[in-house]
Amino acid sequence: MAEILVVDDEAAIADLVEVCLKNEGYTVYKCGSGEAALTCVARQHLDLAILDVMLPDLDGFTLCQKIREEHLFPILMLTARVEDMDKIMGLTLGADDYITKPFNPLELVARVKAHLARYQRLTQGGQRAENGQVIRVADVEIYPQSWKVYKAGRELKMPNREFELLKFLAEHPNIVFSKDRLFETIWGFDYVGETNAVDVYI
């Protein structure tokens, strides 16, 4: 089963998330600070991370950005801050989803399952189908297997969702897609969330 990192300095919240995830058979690593989380990320093979925004040392946005420098697994932000700019910042820095407190434990588990399933499909499907193929559009090169993008030879750092959208659009040039179609294709029919997330990534 998947191994999940939970980072929250509120013990009661971290314990609740841990119980919910362990009931689904997941292995859970809990950390109460950003530095402890980075140590865990370096030592463990993780499949997903849930990060609180407000931490005693590093804030969740900085932690998300540092994790994204080396890892592609899904990152969910868990926080009481509901301002749109906070959500946009988290998504821009590489988060895959944003869950506000108080949260429904069943919704949290559903989102975790959806992100894990999507990530598994993307990584395994890419390894089976690509064999080193490159998607080229003008001076942009997309490497689906390694999730890398280069423009005029310079690598671009892109969050997972931005990469998925770019890859999909590059594979279907000169075709107009509705927001709902993009949401269904990239996020999946079983995803729990809002379609306006497409606007943020576009």
Side-chain angles (χ1 to χ4, degrees), residues 93-114:
L93 292 175
D96 295 276
D97 204 351
Y98 208 103
I99 304 172
T100 55
K101 302 176 184 177
F103 59 90
N104 183 325
L106 295 177
E107 180 183 350
L108 174 66
V109 170
R111 292 195 185 205
V112 166
K113 288 182 176 179

Side-chain angles (χ1 to χ4, degrees), residues 49-118:
I50 300 174
L51 313 180
D52 184 26
V53 169
M54 303 300 291
L55 295 170
D57 48 1
L58 295 176
D59 63 83
F61 297 134
T62 301
L63 177 58
C64 174
Q65 190 173 30
K66 287 181 175 292
I67 292 175
R68 270 290 169 260
E69 291 174 359
E70 300 290 337
H71 302 280
L72 294 172
F73 55 74
I75 297 176
L76 283 65
M77 306 298 289
L78 181 63
T79 180
R81 298 169 63 168
V82 296
E83 291 83 359
D84 287 342
M85 285 308 299
D86 288 333
K87 294 182 179 181
I88 292 172
M89 180 179 294
L91 296 172
T92 302
L93 292 175
D96 295 276
D97 204 351
Y98 208 103
I99 304 172
T100 55
K101 302 176 184 177
F103 59 90
N104 183 325
L106 295 177
E107 180 183 350
L108 174 66
V109 170
R111 292 195 185 205
V112 166
K113 288 182 176 179
H115 282 289
L116 287 173
R118 178 190 59 83

Side-chain angles (χ1 to χ4, degrees), residues 93-155:
L93 292 175
D96 295 276
D97 204 351
Y98 208 103
I99 304 172
T100 55
K101 302 176 184 177
F103 59 90
N104 183 325
L106 295 177
E107 180 183 350
L108 174 66
V109 170
R111 292 195 185 205
V112 166
K113 288 182 176 179
H115 282 289
L116 287 173
R118 178 190 59 83
Y119 183 62
Q120 185 177 32
R121 286 195 302 268
L122 285 171
T123 53
Q124 292 183 351
Q127 291 171 359
R128 286 196 304 268
E130 289 150 17
N131 297 321
Q133 293 182 6
V134 180
I135 302 170
R136 291 184 173 86
V137 179
D139 62 347
V140 175
E141 296 182 339
I142 304 168
Y143 293 79
Q145 189 168 351
S146 60
W147 289 29
K148 291 184 180 297
V149 179
Y150 295 87
K151 178 176 174 57
R154 182 174 63 87
E155 183 176 359

Side-chain angles (χ1 to χ4, degrees), residues 5-67:
L5 171 65
V6 176
V7 186
D8 200 312
D9 61 336
E10 295 184 58
I13 298 294
D15 291 344
L16 174 60
V17 175
E18 179 185 32
V19 169
C20 293
L21 296 177
K22 282 191 171 181
N23 285 342
E24 298 295 325
Y26 300 126
T27 299
V28 177
Y29 303 96
K30 289 190 302 182
C31 296
S33 69
E35 291 298 336
L38 290 175
T39 299
C40 181
V41 169
R43 293 178 177 176
Q44 304 294 336
H45 170 79
L46 299 172
D47 299 289
L48 184 142
I50 300 174
L51 313 180
D52 184 26
V53 169
M54 303 300 291
L55 295 170
D57 48 1
L58 295 176
D59 63 83
F61 297 134
T62 301
L63 177 58
C64 174
Q65 190 173 30
K66 287 181 175 292
I67 292 175

